[in-house]
């Protein structure tokens, strides 16, 4: 009973952000936090997949209807790997979305949408920012890599692709 209360009342919003989607052979899995059982979805069992009206969720229809929110870890990788056989899925939206993304000069991932990085959460530097661009990037990278620095973990001077997003090959580490 306590587990149900924790998952359904207290940690509902947090659990969405900590839910992990992982591609598996012939489908994908969803693992919610706090000891929840992993749920498997196989492409052959899914009747339909489509976006919600605001494109912040995908609707999976099989025996039941499941909503998968865009703030789940791995959501962006999932939407890029939906099989073409799901004709109600808006593949053009996905293609256009990823083509319009810009590189984040803070974390090095091509994940900036509407001036904010989907991966690191930082607002991208722009000409309206009163701070010098290089100083801004140094400050933000120091904040972003703080855990690495505190634990004396070497920070690599290149970015790796993450959660379905490409890495910027020209990214620079300024710290």
């Amino acid at each position: 009973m306590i587990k149900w209360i924790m998952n359904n009342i207290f940690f509902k919003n947090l659990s969405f952000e900590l839910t992990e989607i992982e591609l598996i052979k012939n489908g994908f899995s969803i693992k919610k936090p706090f000891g929840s059982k992993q749920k498997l979805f196989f492409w052959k069992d899914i009747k339909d997949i489509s976006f919600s009206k605001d494109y912040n969720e995908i609707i999976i229809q099989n025996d039941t209807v499941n909503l998968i929110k865009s703030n789940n870890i791995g959501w962006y990788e999932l939407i890029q790997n939906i099989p073409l056989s799901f004709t109600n899925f808006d593949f053009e939206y996905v293609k256009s979305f990823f083509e319009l993304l810009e590189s984040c000069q803070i974390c090095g991932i091509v994940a900036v949408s509407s001036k904010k990085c989907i991966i690191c959460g930082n607002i991208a530097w722009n000409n309206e920012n009163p701070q010098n661009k290089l100083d801004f990037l140094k400050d933000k990278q120091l904040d972003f890599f703080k855990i690495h620095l505190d634990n004396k973990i070497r920070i690599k001077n290149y970015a790796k692709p993450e959660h379905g997003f490409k890495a910027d090959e020209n990214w620079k580490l300024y710290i």
Side-chain angles (χ1 to χ4, degrees):
M1 179 67 164
I2 290 175
K3 182 178 174 182
W4 183 88
I5 292 171
M6 297 277 285
N7 278 333
N8 291 297
I9 298 173
F10 298 113
F11 297 118
K12 191 168 188 164
N13 288 337
L14 180 60
S15 71
F16 284 126
E17 293 180 10
L18 296 176
T19 297
E20 289 187 57
I21 301 167
E22 183 179 334
L23 296 174
I24 59 172
K25 185 177 181 177
N26 302 320
F28 62 96
S29 68
I30 297 178
K31 182 157 180 13
K32 293 184 177 182
F34 313 116
S36 294
K37 187 178 177 185
Q38 182 176 15
K39 189 169 185 177
L40 299 174
F41 290 87
F42 296 100
W43 300 126
K44 67 178 179 60
D45 299 332
I46 297 172
K47 295 174 184 164
D48 191 39
I49 300 176
S50 59
F51 279 105
S52 62
K53 289 180 183 177
D54 64 2
Y55 287 86
N56 285 323
E57 298 174 321
I58 54 174
I59 304 160
I60 309 287
Q61 294 180 11
N62 47 14
D63 295 335
T64 60
V65 174
N66 295 277
L67 299 177
I68 302 176
K69 296 183 177 283
S70 62
N71 61 350
N72 292 169
I73 299 166
W75 190 80
Y76 292 96
E77 184 172 24
L78 174 63
I79 66 171
Q80 292 179 81
N81 287 283
I82 302 292
L84 295 173
S85 59
F86 293 103
T87 57
N88 286 331
F89 190 73
D90 193 344
F91 294 101
E92 277 302 310
Y93 170 80
V94 175
K95 180 182 175 191
S96 175
F97 177 82
F98 281 91
E99 285 175 352
L100 293 173
L101 290 176
E102 296 177 11
S103 175
C104 178
Q105 295 179 339
I106 297 161
C107 71
I109 306 298
V110 181
V112 174
S113 176
S114 301
K115 298 182 182 178
K116 184 176 180 181
C117 181
I118 296 167
I119 295 295
C120 71
N122 283 293
I123 303 295
W125 186 88
N126 58 63
N127 291 330
E128 297 167 9
N129 191 314
Q131 192 175 13
N132 169 289
K133 183 177 181 179
L134 186 58
D135 291 340
F136 172 84
L137 293 175
K138 283 180 183 178
D139 288 346
K140 293 297 181 183
Q141 286 181 351
L142 279 170
D143 287 344
F144 184 69
F145 291 108
K146 183 172 181 8
I147 293 172
H148 286 77
L149 296 169
D150 289 350
N151 293 313
K152 297 184 179 9
I153 298 171
R154 183 177 168 266
I155 301 169
K156 297 176 180 168
N157 60 355
Y158 60 90
K160 288 185 175 182
E162 191 169 334
H163 303 299
F165 295 97
K166 296 176 184 175
D168 179 355
E169 295 174 5
N170 299 313
W171 174 72
K172 294 187 182 192
L173 182 65
Y174 293 104
I175 56 173

Short mmCIF file of all heavy atoms in Angstrom, two decimals, residues 69-98:
data_model
loop_
_atom_site.label_atom_id
_atom_site.label_comp_id
_atom_site.label_asym_id
_atom_site.label_seq_id
_atom_site.Cartn_x
_atom_site.Cartn_y
_atom_site.Cartn_z
N LYS A 69 5.21 10.15 -21.82
CA LYS A 69 5.49 11.59 -21.81
C LYS A 69 6.89 11.91 -22.33
O LYS A 69 7.82 11.13 -22.18
CB LYS A 69 5.34 12.13 -20.39
CG LYS A 69 3.92 12.02 -19.87
CD LYS A 69 3.80 12.63 -18.49
CE LYS A 69 2.39 12.58 -18.00
NZ LYS A 69 1.52 13.57 -18.58
N SER A 70 7.00 13.11 -22.89
CA SER A 70 8.27 13.53 -23.49
C SER A 70 9.38 13.76 -22.47
O SER A 70 10.54 13.82 -22.83
CB SER A 70 8.07 14.80 -24.32
OG SER A 70 7.64 15.86 -23.50
N ASN A 71 9.04 13.87 -21.18
CA ASN A 71 10.09 14.07 -20.19
C ASN A 71 10.65 12.75 -19.66
O ASN A 71 11.48 12.74 -18.75
CB ASN A 71 9.62 14.97 -19.04
CG ASN A 71 8.44 14.39 -18.28
OD1 ASN A 71 7.83 13.42 -18.68
ND2 ASN A 71 8.11 15.03 -17.17
N ASN A 72 10.23 11.62 -20.24
CA ASN A 72 10.82 10.33 -19.88
C ASN A 72 12.20 10.22 -20.53
O ASN A 72 12.38 10.62 -21.69
CB ASN A 72 9.97 9.18 -20.37
CG ASN A 72 8.63 9.04 -19.65
OD1 ASN A 72 7.78 8.28 -20.09
ND2 ASN A 72 8.42 9.74 -18.57
N ILE A 73 13.14 9.65 -19.82
CA ILE A 73 14.48 9.43 -20.35
C ILE A 73 14.39 8.44 -21.51
O ILE A 73 13.82 7.37 -21.35
CB ILE A 73 15.42 8.90 -19.25
CG1 ILE A 73 15.53 9.90 -18.11
CG2 ILE A 73 16.80 8.55 -19.83
CD1 ILE A 73 16.15 9.34 -16.84
N GLY A 74 14.90 8.81 -22.66
CA GLY A 74 14.89 7.94 -23.82
C GLY A 74 13.72 8.17 -24.77
O GLY A 74 13.63 7.53 -25.81
N TRP A 75 12.82 9.11 -24.45
CA TRP A 75 11.65 9.39 -25.29
C TRP A 75 12.06 9.84 -26.69
O TRP A 75 11.50 9.40 -27.67
CB TRP A 75 10.78 10.46 -24.62
CG TRP A 75 9.44 10.67 -25.25
CD1 TRP A 75 8.33 9.91 -25.08
CD2 TRP A 75 9.06 11.73 -26.14
NE1 TRP A 75 7.29 10.44 -25.81
CE2 TRP A 75 7.71 11.55 -26.47
CE3 TRP A 75 9.74 12.82 -26.69
CZ2 TRP A 75 7.03 12.41 -27.31
CZ3 TRP A 75 9.06 13.67 -27.54
CH2 TRP A 75 7.72 13.47 -27.84
N TYR A 76 13.07 10.70 -26.77
CA TYR A 76 13.50 11.22 -28.07
C TYR A 76 14.14 10.13 -28.92
O TYR A 76 14.01 10.13 -30.14
CB TYR A 76 14.44 12.41 -27.89
CG TYR A 76 13.72 13.60 -27.32
CD1 TYR A 76 13.73 13.87 -25.95
CD2 TYR A 76 12.98 14.45 -28.14
CE1 TYR A 76 13.05 14.96 -25.43
CE2 TYR A 76 12.29 15.54 -27.62
CZ TYR A 76 12.33 15.78 -26.27
OH TYR A 76 11.63 16.84 -25.75
N GLU A 77 14.82 9.19 -28.28
CA GLU A 77 15.37 8.07 -29.03
C GLU A 77 14.24 7.16 -29.51
O GLU A 77 14.26 6.67 -30.65
CB GLU A 77 16.35 7.29 -28.15
CG GLU A 77 17.04 6.16 -28.87
CD GLU A 77 18.14 5.53 -28.04
OE1 GLU A 77 18.12 5.61 -26.80
OE2 GLU A 77 19.03 4.93 -28.66
N LEU A 78 13.24 6.96 -28.67
CA LEU A 78 12.10 6.12 -29.05
C LEU A 78 11.37 6.69 -30.27
O LEU A 78 11.12 5.96 -31.23
CB LEU A 78 11.12 5.98 -27.88
CG LEU A 78 9.82 5.24 -28.20
CD1 LEU A 78 10.08 3.80 -28.60
CD2 LEU A 78 8.87 5.32 -27.00
N ILE A 79 11.06 7.98 -30.26
CA ILE A 79 10.27 8.53 -31.37
C ILE A 79 11.03 8.48 -32.70
O ILE A 79 10.41 8.50 -33.75
CB ILE A 79 9.73 9.96 -31.08
CG1 ILE A 79 10.85 10.98 -30.96
CG2 ILE A 79 8.81 9.94 -29.88
CD1 ILE A 79 10.38 12.43 -30.88
N GLN A 80 12.35 8.39 -32.64
CA GLN A 80 13.15 8.26 -33.86
C GLN A 80 13.21 6.82 -34.37
O GLN A 80 13.70 6.58 -35.48
CB GLN A 80 14.58 8.75 -33.62
CG GLN A 80 14.69 10.23 -33.38
CD GLN A 80 16.12 10.61 -33.12
OE1 GLN A 80 16.90 10.76 -34.06
NE2 GLN A 80 16.49 10.74 -31.86
N ASN A 81 12.74 5.88 -33.55
CA ASN A 81 12.85 4.47 -33.91
C ASN A 81 11.51 3.76 -34.04
O ASN A 81 11.45 2.53 -34.00
CB ASN A 81 13.75 3.76 -32.89
CG ASN A 81 15.19 4.14 -33.07
OD1 ASN A 81 15.86 3.66 -33.97
ND2 ASN A 81 15.67 5.06 -32.25
N ILE A 82 10.44 4.52 -34.17
CA ILE A 82 9.12 3.92 -34.39
C ILE A 82 9.11 3.32 -35.81
O ILE A 82 9.50 4.00 -36.76
CB ILE A 82 8.00 4.99 -34.26
CG1 ILE A 82 8.02 5.67 -32.89
CG2 ILE A 82 6.63 4.38 -34.58
CD1 ILE A 82 7.65 4.82 -31.72
N PRO A 83 8.70 2.07 -35.95
CA PRO A 83 8.67 1.46 -37.29
C PRO A 83 7.71 2.19 -38.24
O PRO A 83 6.66 2.70 -37.82
CB PRO A 83 8.18 0.03 -37.01
CG PRO A 83 8.54 -0.22 -35.58
CD PRO A 83 8.38 1.10 -34.89
N LEU A 84 8.09 2.24 -39.50
CA LEU A 84 7.29 2.93 -40.52
C LEU A 84 5.91 2.31 -40.72
O LEU A 84 5.04 2.94 -41.31
CB LEU A 84 8.06 2.96 -41.84
CG LEU A 84 9.36 3.77 -41.83
CD1 LEU A 84 10.11 3.57 -43.15
CD2 LEU A 84 9.08 5.24 -41.58
N SER A 85 5.71 1.12 -40.22
CA SER A 85 4.41 0.46 -40.39
C SER A 85 3.29 1.14 -39.60
O SER A 85 2.12 0.91 -39.88
CB SER A 85 4.51 -1.02 -39.97
OG SER A 85 4.92 -1.12 -38.62
N PHE A 86 3.63 2.01 -38.65
CA PHE A 86 2.62 2.73 -37.88
C PHE A 86 2.26 4.02 -38.62
O PHE A 86 2.85 5.08 -38.41
CB PHE A 86 3.11 3.01 -36.46
CG PHE A 86 3.27 1.76 -35.65
CD1 PHE A 86 4.53 1.22 -35.42
CD2 PHE A 86 2.16 1.10 -35.14
CE1 PHE A 86 4.68 0.06 -34.69
CE2 PHE A 86 2.30 -0.08 -34.42
CZ PHE A 86 3.56 -0.60 -34.20
N THR A 87 1.28 3.92 -39.49
CA THR A 87 0.96 5.00 -40.43
C THR A 87 0.34 6.23 -39.77
O THR A 87 0.35 7.31 -40.37
CB THR A 87 0.04 4.49 -41.55
OG1 THR A 87 -1.14 3.94 -40.95
CG2 THR A 87 0.75 3.44 -42.38
N ASN A 88 -0.20 6.12 -38.55
CA ASN A 88 -0.76 7.29 -37.86
C ASN A 88 0.31 8.11 -37.14
O ASN A 88 0.01 9.17 -36.61
CB ASN A 88 -1.85 6.87 -36.87
CG ASN A 88 -3.12 6.47 -37.56
OD1 ASN A 88 -3.43 6.97 -38.65
ND2 ASN A 88 -3.86 5.57 -36.94
N PHE A 89 1.51 7.60 -37.10
CA PHE A 89 2.59 8.31 -36.43
C PHE A 89 3.12 9.41 -37.34
O PHE A 89 3.29 9.19 -38.55
CB PHE A 89 3.71 7.34 -36.05
CG PHE A 89 4.74 7.94 -35.14
CD1 PHE A 89 4.45 8.18 -33.82
CD2 PHE A 89 6.00 8.27 -35.62
CE1 PHE A 89 5.40 8.75 -32.97
CE2 PHE A 89 6.95 8.83 -34.79
CZ PHE A 89 6.64 9.08 -33.46
N ASP A 90 3.39 10.58 -36.79
CA ASP A 90 3.83 11.74 -37.57
C ASP A 90 5.35 11.74 -37.72
O ASP A 90 6.07 12.42 -37.00
CB ASP A 90 3.34 13.02 -36.90
CG ASP A 90 3.48 14.24 -37.79
OD1 ASP A 90 4.21 14.17 -38.81
OD2 ASP A 90 2.87 15.28 -37.46
N PHE A 91 5.83 10.97 -38.67
CA PHE A 91 7.27 10.86 -38.92
C PHE A 91 7.85 12.18 -39.42
O PHE A 91 9.01 12.48 -39.13
CB PHE A 91 7.55 9.75 -39.94
CG PHE A 91 7.21 8.38 -39.43
CD1 PHE A 91 6.03 7.76 -39.81
CD2 PHE A 91 8.06 7.71 -38.57
CE1 PHE A 91 5.70 6.50 -39.33
CE2 PHE A 91 7.74 6.45 -38.08
CZ PHE A 91 6.55 5.84 -38.46
N GLU A 92 7.08 12.97 -40.13
CA GLU A 92 7.53 14.28 -40.62
C GLU A 92 7.82 15.22 -39.46
O GLU A 92 8.78 15.99 -39.50
CB GLU A 92 6.51 14.91 -41.57
CG GLU A 92 6.62 14.39 -42.99
CD GLU A 92 8.01 14.61 -43.60
OE1 GLU A 92 8.54 15.73 -43.54
OE2 GLU A 92 8.56 13.63 -44.14
N TYR A 93 6.98 15.18 -38.43
CA TYR A 93 7.22 16.02 -37.25
C TYR A 93 8.57 15.65 -36.62
O TYR A 93 9.36 16.53 -36.27
CB TYR A 93 6.10 15.86 -36.22
CG TYR A 93 6.44 16.51 -34.90
CD1 TYR A 93 6.31 17.88 -34.73
CD2 TYR A 93 6.96 15.77 -33.85
CE1 TYR A 93 6.67 18.49 -33.53
CE2 TYR A 93 7.32 16.37 -32.65
CZ TYR A 93 7.17 17.73 -32.50
OH TYR A 93 7.54 18.33 -31.33
N VAL A 94 8.82 14.37 -36.46
CA VAL A 94 10.08 13.91 -35.84
C VAL A 94 11.26 14.38 -36.67
O VAL A 94 12.23 14.94 -36.14
CB VAL A 94 10.09 12.37 -35.68
CG1 VAL A 94 11.43 11.89 -35.16
CG2 VAL A 94 8.97 11.93 -34.75
N LYS A 95 11.19 14.17 -37.96
CA LYS A 95 12.28 14.59 -38.85
C LYS A 95 12.53 16.09 -38.75
O LYS A 95 13.66 16.54 -38.57
CB LYS A 95 11.94 14.20 -40.29
CG LYS A 95 12.99 14.57 -41.29
CD LYS A 95 12.57 14.20 -42.70
CE LYS A 95 13.61 14.70 -43.69
NZ LYS A 95 13.15 14.60 -45.05
N SER A 96 11.47 16.87 -38.83
CA SER A 96 11.58 18.32 -38.75
C SER A 96 12.11 18.78 -37.40
O SER A 96 12.97 19.66 -37.32
CB SER A 96 10.20 18.95 -39.02
OG SER A 96 10.25 20.33 -38.83
N PHE A 97 11.63 18.16 -36.33
CA PHE A 97 12.08 18.52 -34.98
C PHE A 97 13.59 18.36 -34.85
O PHE A 97 14.29 19.27 -34.40
CB PHE A 97 11.36 17.66 -33.94
CG PHE A 97 11.82 17.92 -32.53
CD1 PHE A 97 11.31 18.99 -31.82
CD2 PHE A 97 12.78 17.12 -31.93
CE1 PHE A 97 11.75 19.26 -30.53
CE2 PHE A 97 13.22 17.38 -30.65
CZ PHE A 97 12.70 18.45 -29.94
N PHE A 98 14.11 17.22 -35.27
CA PHE A 98 15.54 16.96 -35.11
C PHE A 98 16.39 17.79 -36.07
O PHE A 98 17.52 18.13 -35.75
CB PHE A 98 15.84 15.46 -35.22
CG PHE A 98 15.52 14.74 -33.94
CD1 PHE A 98 14.27 14.17 -33.75
CD2 PHE A 98 16.45 14.66 -32.92
CE1 PHE A 98 13.95 13.54 -32.56
CE2 PHE A 98 16.14 14.03 -31.73
CZ PHE A 98 14.89 13.47 -31.55
#
